[in-house]
Amino acid sequence: MKLPSPKHTTFNRILELYHSGHRQEHPCTCGPASISLVAQALGCEKKPESAWLAPELSRWVPVEQFTTKRGMALHEAHFTTEMVYSHDLEVQLRRAFPENIALFKADLEEAASREDLGLVMNFTQDHALSQPMQGQGSPHFSPISGYDSETGEILVCDVDFEIPAPYWISIERAFESMAFINPAFKMPRGWLRIRRRK
């Protein structure tokens, strides 16, 4: 297996936590599970998935739906993460509009060399895994834990409890899997750029 990145980067710490068994606890909590994994890799306090589902957040987002009816949309994961880690993390939302593939590559290059930056994709798992598309393509969140600039591939630490190991996919396929439109909001999915504040 290819090495994910130089030692001591966030990518490596994500991979270590993933191999220790970090996976989503419920079918619809891939967002909180992914962000929790990245936050821990960045040296933040471990927070349970329930922190993203706290009743006090229901004033702004429908948290009661996130474990029973559907997972979070990208903007909901963005907002709730800012609430959960209000003083520790800066979170930026990036949409997979066609012109943003260069931005995705730039974020990958930067995250691969830093200790204070992580990336979480919101993507269609069926397309990423080259599986037949079912429904909306199995919308999903998972963190990135490696980048190979020579092959143009990224390593995905998929928090799906049915997937036993990380997998490499091309940047193009990853971006395509994020570019599918979320029909509820009429916008493409994308990724979160998560930075640990000093």
Side-chain angles (χ1 to χ4, degrees):
M1 183 183 199
K2 293 178 283 188
L3 293 174
S5 55
K7 292 181 178 179
H8 309 303
T9 65
T10 305
F11 281 170
N12 286 88
R13 291 195 295 273
I14 289 171
L15 199 57
E16 290 169 6
L17 289 164
Y18 183 83
H19 284 311
S20 72
H22 188 109
R23 300 294 189 279
Q24 65 192 84
E25 296 174 5
H26 305 283
C28 296
T29 57
C30 54
S34 298
I35 298 163
S36 172
L37 177 53
V38 169
Q40 289 177 71
L42 291 170
C44 294
E45 175 189 354
K46 180 179 180 179
K47 300 282 181 81
E49 290 180 3
S50 58
W52 281 262
L53 313 172
E56 55 267 26
L57 297 179
S58 63
R59 176 179 174 186
W60 297 283
V61 290
V63 295
E64 68 281 353
Q65 297 181 14
F66 295 153
T67 57
T68 57
K69 297 180 181 178
R70 65 175 179 89
M72 293 179 170
L74 184 61
H75 66 280
E76 293 165 334
H78 177 211
F79 173 77
T80 52
T81 301
E82 287 191 320
M83 299 296 286
V84 171
Y85 285 105
S86 58
H87 298 290
D88 299 315
L89 299 177
E90 178 188 45
V91 186
Q92 293 175 293
L93 184 155
R94 316 279 214 197
R95 295 268 177 203
F97 294 114
E99 67 272 17
N100 282 347
I101 190 164
L103 182 60
F104 183 50
K105 291 177 180 178
D107 280 350
L108 288 167
E109 290 275 0
E110 187 176 4
S113 63
R114 290 177 56 171
E115 299 181 29
D116 63 345
L117 182 65
L119 306 174
V120 171
M121 294 186 357
N122 178 214
F123 63 107
T124 48
Q125 193 182 44
D126 289 345
H127 185 76
L129 295 173
S130 301
Q131 297 175 345
M133 292 285 281
Q134 300 182 25
Q136 295 180 33
S138 303
H140 194 51
F141 284 90
S142 282
I144 295 170
S145 62
Y147 169 57
D148 188 324
S149 59
E150 292 184 5
T151 64
E153 293 180 309
I154 63 170
L155 186 63
V156 180
C157 276
D158 200 312
V159 295
D160 187 332
F161 37 72
E162 294 183 355
I163 295 181
Y167 50 84
W168 290 93
I169 59 173
S170 71
I171 291 173
E172 290 73 21
R173 178 163 287 275
F175 195 82
E176 288 170 2
S177 73
M178 294 188 290
F180 284 92
I181 299 295
N182 182 331
F185 301 102
K186 313 302 183 192
M187 290 185 289
R189 295 175 170 86
W191 68 101
L192 296 177
R193 174 188 163 99
I194 304 173
R195 183 182 68 86
R196 174 71 189 266
R197 296 182 62 238
K198 301 299 182 186

